[in-house]
Amino acid sequence: MLYSVNNQQSGCRHPSRILGRQLGTVMSSYKNEYRQSIEHPEIFWAEQAKRIPWFVSPQTILEYDDQGHARWFVDGEMNTCHAALDHHVESGRGEQAAILWDSPVTGAKRQLSYREMRDQVAMFAGALAELGVEKGDRVVIYMPMVPEALIAMYACARLGAVHSVVFGGFAPHELAVRIEDAEPRVVIAASCGVEVDRVIPYKPIVDEALRTSRHQPDATVILQRDQLHAELGEGDHEWQALVDAAKPVPCVPVKATDPLYILYTSGTTGKPKGVVRDNGGHAVALYYSMETIYDMAPDEVFFSASDVGWVVGHSYIVYGPLLRGCTTLVYEGKPVRTPNAGAFWRLIEEYRVKTFFTAPTAFRAIKKEDPDGQWLAKHDISSLKALFLAGERLDPPTFHWLEDLLSVPIVDHWWQTETGWPIVANLQGLEAMPIKAGSATVAVPGFDVQVLNRDGESAAANEQGSVVIREPMPPGCLAGIWRDPQRFHGAYMAAFPGYYLTGDGGYFDDEGYLFIMGRTDDVINIAGHRLSTGEMEEVLGAHPVVAECAVIGIHDALKGQVPVGLVIPKDSFSGDEVALEEELIALVRQKIGAIACFKQVLVVSRLPKTRSGKILRKLLRHIADGKEYGVPSTIDDPTSLEHVRDAMCARDVGQATDARQV
Ligand code: COA
Ligand code: AMP
């Protein structure tokens, strides 16, 4: 079916309400809107698409690729940079602040209006074009939380190039893996990142990554920061020198389905998955979410305390707020220690933040230092209307602490890199619902979320199963895995045909509230960051004396989960076990990065396995978390459980001393 999208911005705050009336229903509530989105997805998203500016309005709203995965607005043409910057300048928003930058780690603050942002992006895009970057080329960006990171991303979007931002906490090897996969024409980096207690030189990390990478870019661009000037070599260009010599360039029209970015995320193997996001569906979905989920109107200030290296940063620091005409606060600092546990409250007061979004772990860190909210009492946060949390489960103790402290809704919402925007939320801009601790509330319009049991049948209320999304997934979700359709199929589409597998387990309660209970694979969540235990196992397993190993995520009061490694050395090993453990810890830090928080590894002589040789990781997790555990009938050597438990107790791992065999 073909639906036309006019290139006119609807005057109505919520166009689907008009749609509802057209269909003879009264669209005043979440239920109606949700039903419309599921029963008539093409009509629903055709209406939403009118909210963003198109160069060519899409006529074909929904198509499926050969894997049965939805593709949206396939014949539409637009440019994400145009929709987020030029369009707003042209419609009178030029003098409004687009970016507020606050960097307690350097003592700097800066503000960029929409006009300044557009002009600087156009100039830097011109500089990239001079380096040969064209539509479809990839550009890897390795930068901390500075305005230039956003400028670089938008400059790529302006040219129709595909950016791939790599989080600054990743080590050279991780950067190299991403460079090899994305094959960028240009790599853009800053001279350094600034952590609480140290300046981290980025140029040596980039150099080391390029030394080991099979792919070499044509050029490297370095933003020199005052904290540390990098030495430049052949093929390196200074950001400012390039910009001084550049001419501004206009936005290049792209197809809605052309890629905007690749963002690598941890899967179950050592090779991260390059999640591909398109342009048109992404802009439509983010615009919708800014309004409907976050209740943001143009002019208002949105603060997401994440990093441009993560999906939260892409969607809700860089793109979402500006697509909607809001002001985004870019924060180079931590929740604590920069300089104290009042940092977030100070920012909310100073910039009149309306909606704030961070990970629960950030508040666990604040709670530890300021349990009674004494820092909060020093600030006027009356501008704040809602607090959103995601990245990991909002644990009920943190939820209740926040609920007691603040008088605004504390909204847990669930999503992932692949979807790019929330799957389940309490929609503050549509219909705020009663909040239940431990639940992210209800499916967002567009997402047909279901819980399936092992047989692929719908689970009953309160019965746990795999959380899946029935096709068509709404606009904004991943278009695929970069150059790897088979992996896309295997990881997401093969388990339950017709459904996308989220990798999370959970259940709906009697009222349709969804409770996410954790991953069903080897992905773990450390301080709201997604990492793969499989990848850490690959690093340990590559060490010459390691015969076998397992890495498990165990409960941590601050970070949610932390990894613990268990290794069996080869029979020939006669060295010092403590020295080996230290070496392995250093190896993971060197290969993956400090962000893996890999600080504990135990040398053991046996690991519990099934008779077919599969390591019983779930059982190991139960022991480390101090839970009751049974001896499965399939176990090869039951005494291995006692052995591992004793080793954990001796080294004070997690709550192993509380673990009881039943
Ligand atoms: N560049 C280089 N190194 C980095 C880095 C970066 N961008 N970010 C973190 N690191 C390093 C840290 O310095 C630390 O190194 P260390 O082992 O030498 O101390 C290590 O990586 C772990 O960092 P982190 O997880 O930030 O631990 P922390 O103890 O410094 O801080 C929290 C704890 C809870 C305050 C912090 O994890 C936090 O702010 N979490 C919120 C996460 C978040 O916003 N997630 C986004 C998803 S919504
Ligand atoms: P990432 O792709 O890094 O955003 O991580 C996504 C994963 O983090 C999800 O698949 C979940 O396992 C977890 N996650 C994110 N938000 C939540 C939430 N609100 N509740 C529970 N788990 C969450």
Side-chain angles (χ1 to χ4, degrees), residues 352-403:
R352 306 294 300 152
V353 171
K354 179 182 177 192
T355 300
F356 177 38
F357 176 174
T358 192
T361 185
F363 277 112
R364 288 196 296 270
I366 293 172
K367 182 179 161 203
K368 206 165 147 216
E369 291 197 11
D370 185 23
D372 303 323
Q374 287 179 6
W375 280 107
L376 173 62
K378 297 182 208 283
H379 296 281
D380 168 10
I381 61 156
S382 54
S383 63
L384 188 72
K385 296 295 173 250
L387 167 62
F388 283 83
L389 296 129
E392 54 170 331
R393 179 165 184 259
L394 174 55
D395 52 295
T398 306
F399 168 75
H400 290 303
W401 181 75
L402 284 164
E403 199 187 26

Side-chain angles (χ1 to χ4, degrees), residues 73-129:
F73 316 120
V74 287
D75 53 0
E77 284 185 28
M78 47 82 72
N79 179 289
T80 298
C81 179
H82 171 258
L85 297 176
D86 301 54
H87 167 69
H88 291 307
V89 176
E90 285 154 18
S91 39
R93 207 166 281 292
E95 307 324 311
Q96 182 194 316
I99 291 181
L100 301 166
W101 180 54
D102 192 297
S103 168
V105 289
T106 62
K109 291 179 187 182
R110 209 162 118 201
Q111 181 171 325
L112 284 165
S113 68
Y114 270 89
R115 186 184 307 283
E116 288 167 327
M117 187 66 187
R118 185 216 37 198
D119 292 348
Q120 294 195 24
V121 167
M123 209 58 119
F124 189 63
L128 288 179

Side-chain angles (χ1 to χ4, degrees), residues 168-169 195 198 200 305-306 334-335 337 527 559 589 594-595 599:
E195 277 293 284
R198 63 194 191 278
I200 300 174
S306 179
K334 298 265 177 180
R337 296 183 289 151
K559 299 195 175 187
R589 192 177 169 98
I595 202 69
K599 300 205 164 153

